[in-house]
Amino acid sequence: MTLYDDLHSLLKPPALYERTDAAFWDDEHLSRSMLTAHLDPEFEGASRSFAFMDRSADWIRAAAPPTTHPRLLDLGCGPGLYAERFARAGYAVTGVDLSPRSLDYARRTAGEQGLAIDYRRQNYLELDLDGAFDVAVMIYCDFGALSTDERRIVLRRVRDRLRPGGALVLDVFSRRKLEAFEERTVWEDHPAGGFWNAGPHLEVQRCCRFADAVSLEQIAVIAPEGATSYHLWNTYFTPEALSAELEEAGFEVVELVGDAAGAPLDETSPTIAVVARKHATGADGR
Ligand SMILES: C[S@@+](CC[C@H](N)C(=O)[O-])C[C@H]1O[C@@H](n2cnc3c(N)ncnc32)[C@H](O)[C@@H]1O
């Protein structure tokens, strides 16, 4: 194999939603990079800015107040930036995430503030919790990072954990955001390490579109110890497509807005946020 062949096999166009075996959310170095990104109050790479989160938590509280929705489930809670805001607003919060590093941070800071948040390390595709929740949130466009089958699975898992009439709040990237997605291949040299690897490495990033409003950022990290590649998928929604998925999963859409802080929705909105409610009885009678 030549270097050329190696590179081509790393950047081979994959099948739709195919992932690589490389650890991502729970990788030692990447989880550190992600936590740093989460905790930057302005940078919007992993979490929204802190100012947006304040407005977002207020909007969610207005849509599903803690007086009528006391038990809140935060899916993909990361280091607890939203979970803490919800706990301070009066919810009993359960946060679920895959990243041990983010959860360690979340538990520590909740403890320091005297906030009784129940953090669980779980894959939300295999959600295994007792009890019922009044509201579930999945914030910062994680829903669109899942494949079509995974989105069905997570909606079923959440629906099973919500009480009848319970609310689900999530956000996705819109088709407008896809219009701005640039197909390109770029490379960067990181002799002193960077986001993807602690040591020297080359990063090759290939951004391409797939049919059905899906994009892929394919990242090859070429380091002296070997090469790794990552596939970051995104599905972009119209309000109709998002509503159809939720309705098929047994939810009624009650509000569609332009972002997770309640901005008006129009054709320029890069995101769509939705408040949906679990039908009192689903198609299967539950
Ligand atoms: C883009 S971040 C958003 C974090 C948080 N919702 C926020 O807005 O600050 C996505 C989070 O989801 C978590 N995550 C990704 N896939 C997951 C899965 N299958 N199960 C549980 N958590 C997951 C990641 O570890 C990460 O903390």
Side-chain angles (χ1 to χ4, degrees):
M1 290 274 270
T2 64
L3 180 59
Y4 178 87
D5 293 330
D6 282 347
L7 257 178
H8 261 263
S9 81
L10 277 172
L11 294 169
K12 186 166 56 87
L16 181 66
Y17 294 130
E18 187 181 314
R19 298 220 174 85
T20 66
D21 294 334
F24 185 72
W25 299 111
D26 52 359
D27 172 77
E28 171 66 20
H29 175 76
L30 276 178
S31 66
R32 193 187 303 277
S33 301
M34 287 295 294
L35 182 59
T36 305
H38 277 297
L39 300 181
D40 184 320
E42 303 296 337
F43 178 60
E44 299 213 322
S47 293
R48 296 282 192 198
S49 71
F50 287 8
F52 181 93
M53 272 187 241
D54 288 340
R55 290 189 287 116
S56 179
D58 285 348
W59 174 70
I60 293 167
R61 192 179 50 186
T67 43
T68 49
H69 299 71
R71 299 159 299 177
L72 183 147
L73 174 60
D74 185 351
L75 297 158
C77 62
L81 300 171
Y82 269 92
E84 289 178 5
R85 285 165 169 78
F86 293 135
R88 284 196 292 269
Y91 294 97
V93 181
T94 300
V96 168
D97 204 280
L98 268 184
S99 166
R101 189 185 299 280
S102 283
L103 289 172
D104 284 350
Y105 177 92
R107 288 192 181 104
R108 196 170 62 247
T109 59
E112 285 163 6
Q113 296 170 75
L115 296 171
I117 301 173
D118 181 9
Y119 286 114
R120 309 281 185 98
R121 181 169 188 242
Q122 281 191 21
N123 183 341
Y124 47 53
L125 298 170
E126 296 160 10
L127 196 63
D128 181 19
L129 296 170
D130 292 328
F133 292 87
D134 304 292
V135 52
V137 303
M138 191 180 199
I139 302 295
Y140 210 10
C141 303
D142 289 358
F143 187 67
L146 303 174
S147 71
T148 311
D149 285 345
E150 289 169 337
R151 296 197 301 275
R152 279 197 199 106
I153 291 169
V154 84
L155 288 179
R156 197 177 328 123
R157 298 267 176 194
V158 175
R159 203 182 69 103
D160 285 349
R161 291 273 54 85
L162 281 174
R163 57 128 162 116
L168 169 63
V169 181
L170 60 81
D171 59 349
V172 293
F173 289 121
S174 70
R175 294 285 169 90
R176 180 56 185 248
K177 176 86 173 174
L178 178 60
E179 284 167 25
F181 182 90
E182 207 185 319
E183 290 200 301
R184 62 191 183 141
T185 302
V186 292
W187 70 275
E188 286 174 10
D189 187 12
H190 296 281
F195 182 90
W196 295 96
N197 191 302
H201 63 281
L202 285 175
E203 173 190 338
V204 185
Q205 192 184 91
R206 200 171 70 90
C207 299
C208 56
R209 292 177 191 217
F210 277 61
D212 297 327
V214 176
S215 73
L216 169 68
E217 284 170 61
Q218 190 174 24
I219 290 138
V221 177
I222 301 144
E225 68 273 15
T228 317
S229 68
Y230 302 88
H231 294 169
L232 307 184
W233 294 99
N234 242 310
T235 303
Y236 302 79
F237 289 82
T238 60
E240 295 73 23
L242 179 58
S243 300
E245 290 199 8
L246 287 160
E247 279 157 17
E248 189 197 309
F251 289 91
E252 181 190 0
V253 172
V254 293
E255 191 177 1
L256 285 163
V257 291
D259 67 25
L265 176 64
D266 62 33
E267 61 286 350
T268 67
S269 307
T271 58
I272 304 170
V274 63
V275 181
R277 291 204 174 262
K278 174 176 166 171
H279 283 300
T281 51
D284 55 1
R286 282 186 296 167

